[in-house]
Amino acid sequence: MRFFLETLLHVGKLQGKTPRLLFRALHAQRKLIGKVYDPIVELSSKYITGTTSPELPDSISIPFSHELPFYILKYPGYSSNVGRIAAAVHQKYPAFTFIDTGANIGDTIYMLRKYASFPVLCIEGDDYYYHILKRNASRFGQVKTVKSFVGAENTILEASSSRQGGTAHLQVTGKDHIHLKTIPAILQEHPEFTNSKMIKIDTDGHDGKIIRGAASYLTKVKPIIFFEYDPYFLSLCNDNGLSILHFLLRHGYQSALIYDNFGFLQDAVDLHDFKKLEYLDSKVQYKMGCFYYDICAFPAEEHDLYTTIWKTEAFYSRNGLS
């Protein structure tokens, strides 16, 4: 299956009508196979990071049906922004640590280590993805994994985890009892990450609840927050994006970089400028999860870092770099 997957990804990079037709045929075959047989494949890590490096493991464990390498094939800048931003924060803070909430299979670790090396706390609640996350995390030093779902409060939710195409989200079904923990509760159990200066949150609509549940951590540490802003998935969780931005503004956050879900910088905004925020929000309303933003929010104290990163990220987006 590794040979099939890597051949498909290689064909996808070729130019011309014949390779395109072959890619479409093989991709359709992969989707059919994935419905009945979905093994974990050892895929070359270059299909995730875009490079080979002695600093990175040769391979990543990934479900055969996972869509991530195909997103990166089509949009080479996908997810590389978080690695560059983390490296810039690490440069300012040598004792930097990073929290990855909704870590999935651990692919973000690869992207982070493409740019710099620092301790990472990976949090994932889904049993299946956590099993793969642990396998991938074991290939690195200074990576700790935690099996937990994260929410606005420490509670038990009647829900189940639903997986599709490489992502998982909670469905309130009454089928299972899911234990939710807040970020501060998890950090009490892992105090070496208490002062993490950057947190990534990618949880298919639960991002706002997790941010609100992390209020004490945000107030004390003022980390840079990189999170998914998807009005469709937020609405499924009875939440909305503008209220999250209001919350961040009240807790000392001042500026944000706005990316599309393909990794391209769209705008840089002052969180006080709500007319502009409302306009940006309107552009991704009713897109049913097909188009959304990734937002990187900076506290007022990190305005210098925000300005530096903004210039770098604008350069990457302008030149189509990854």
Side-chain angles (χ1 to χ4, degrees):
M1 285 300 179
R2 174 175 180 164
F3 178 76
F4 179 93
L5 201 55
E6 293 193 351
T7 298
L8 175 56
L9 290 165
H10 177 72
V11 171
K13 291 182 177 182
L14 301 178
Q15 301 295 316
K17 183 177 179 180
T18 299
R20 283 199 300 270
L21 291 174
L22 179 58
F23 175 79
R24 289 172 186 168
L26 290 174
H27 198 213
Q29 186 178 357
R30 167 188 161 265
K31 285 183 173 293
L32 289 173
I33 294 171
K35 290 180 180 179
V36 295
Y37 181 54
D38 191 19
I40 298 173
V41 176
E42 288 299 312
L43 179 70
S44 173
S45 60
K46 70 180 180 181
Y47 292 107
I48 302 300
T49 64
T51 185
T52 56
S53 166
E55 304 298 321
L56 294 170
D58 293 334
S59 65
I60 180 173
S61 298
I62 188 168
F64 181 74
S65 66
H66 207 293
E67 293 296 331
L68 177 63
F70 296 94
Y71 293 152
I72 294 172
L73 174 66
K74 192 171 183 179
Y75 306 105
Y78 182 84
S79 82
S80 62
N81 46 11
V82 70
R84 291 190 301 270
I85 294 168
V89 184
H90 181 222
Q91 189 171 15
K92 180 176 179 178
Y93 296 101
F96 175 72
T97 57
F98 183 98
I99 301 170
D100 184 7
T101 311
N104 198 260
I105 62 171
D107 49 281
T108 296
I109 311 170
Y110 286 74
M111 196 56 72
L112 294 173
R113 291 293 168 84
K114 176 182 176 180
Y115 295 96
S117 181
F118 42 77
V120 181
L121 179 67
C122 294
I123 308 169
E124 175 58 49
D126 182 83
D127 289 331
Y128 179 65
Y129 289 137
Y130 183 74
H131 168 71
I132 304 172
L133 167 64
K134 285 203 71 173
R135 184 186 298 190
N136 285 323
S138 69
R139 295 168 171 148
F140 297 88
Q142 296 184 296
V143 177
K144 180 173 280 190
T145 62
V146 176
K147 186 181 180 304
S148 180
F149 288 102
V150 189
E153 56 186 7
N154 301 308
T155 188
I156 298 175
L157 184 68
E158 291 187 348
S160 61
S161 181
S162 175
R163 293 185 295 272
Q164 184 177 6
T167 187
H169 59 273
L170 291 178
Q171 290 185 327
V172 180
T173 61
K175 179 181 177 182
D176 300 315
H177 289 84
I178 300 290
H179 290 256
L180 298 179
K181 291 183 180 181
T182 64
I183 290 294
I186 292 172
L187 292 179
Q188 282 185 344
E189 299 169 0
H190 303 278
E192 66 270 38
F193 290 93
T194 298
N195 294 314
S196 293
K197 290 299 290 184
M198 185 169 175
I199 181 170
K200 170 181 169 280
I201 306 171
D202 184 355
T203 54
D204 285 356
H206 291 272
D207 308 68
K209 296 180 187 299
I210 292 170
I211 288 171
R212 294 184 188 94
S216 61
Y217 159 63
L218 302 185
T219 301
K220 178 184 176 184
V221 181
K222 291 292 195 300
I224 284 77
I225 310 172
F226 190 100
F227 66 100
E228 186 178 271
Y229 185 101
D230 188 328
Y232 173 67
F233 281 114
L234 286 169
S235 68
L236 296 181
C237 298
N238 298 313
D239 203 353
N240 73 85
L242 291 175
S243 71
I244 301 170
L245 300 178
H246 273 300
F247 177 88
L248 290 175
L249 186 60
R250 291 197 305 271
H251 284 76
Y253 285 77
Q254 177 177 289
S255 311
L257 299 178
I258 314 293
Y259 295 86
D260 63 25
N261 53 306
F262 313 118
F264 294 103
L265 184 66
Q266 297 298 295
D267 217 326
V269 297
D270 186 317
L271 293 180
H272 293 89
D273 188 352
F274 245 74
K275 285 189 176 180
K276 189 170 190 178
L277 293 174
E278 288 174 350
Y279 167 72
L280 290 168
D281 178 80
S282 70
K283 290 178 67 176
V284 289
Q285 288 287 347
Y286 316 114
K287 299 296 183 180
M288 302 296 287
C290 296
F291 183 76
Y292 57 86
Y293 296 129
D294 283 320
I295 294 182
C296 189
F298 295 78
E301 294 89 337
E302 301 292 356
H303 189 72
D304 60 332
L305 194 56
Y306 161 74
T307 303
T308 299
I309 293 173
W310 175 14
K311 291 177 181 178
T312 301
E313 291 301 291
F315 172 81
Y316 271 82
S317 288
R318 248 191 338 264
N319 294 281
L321 302 174
S322 59

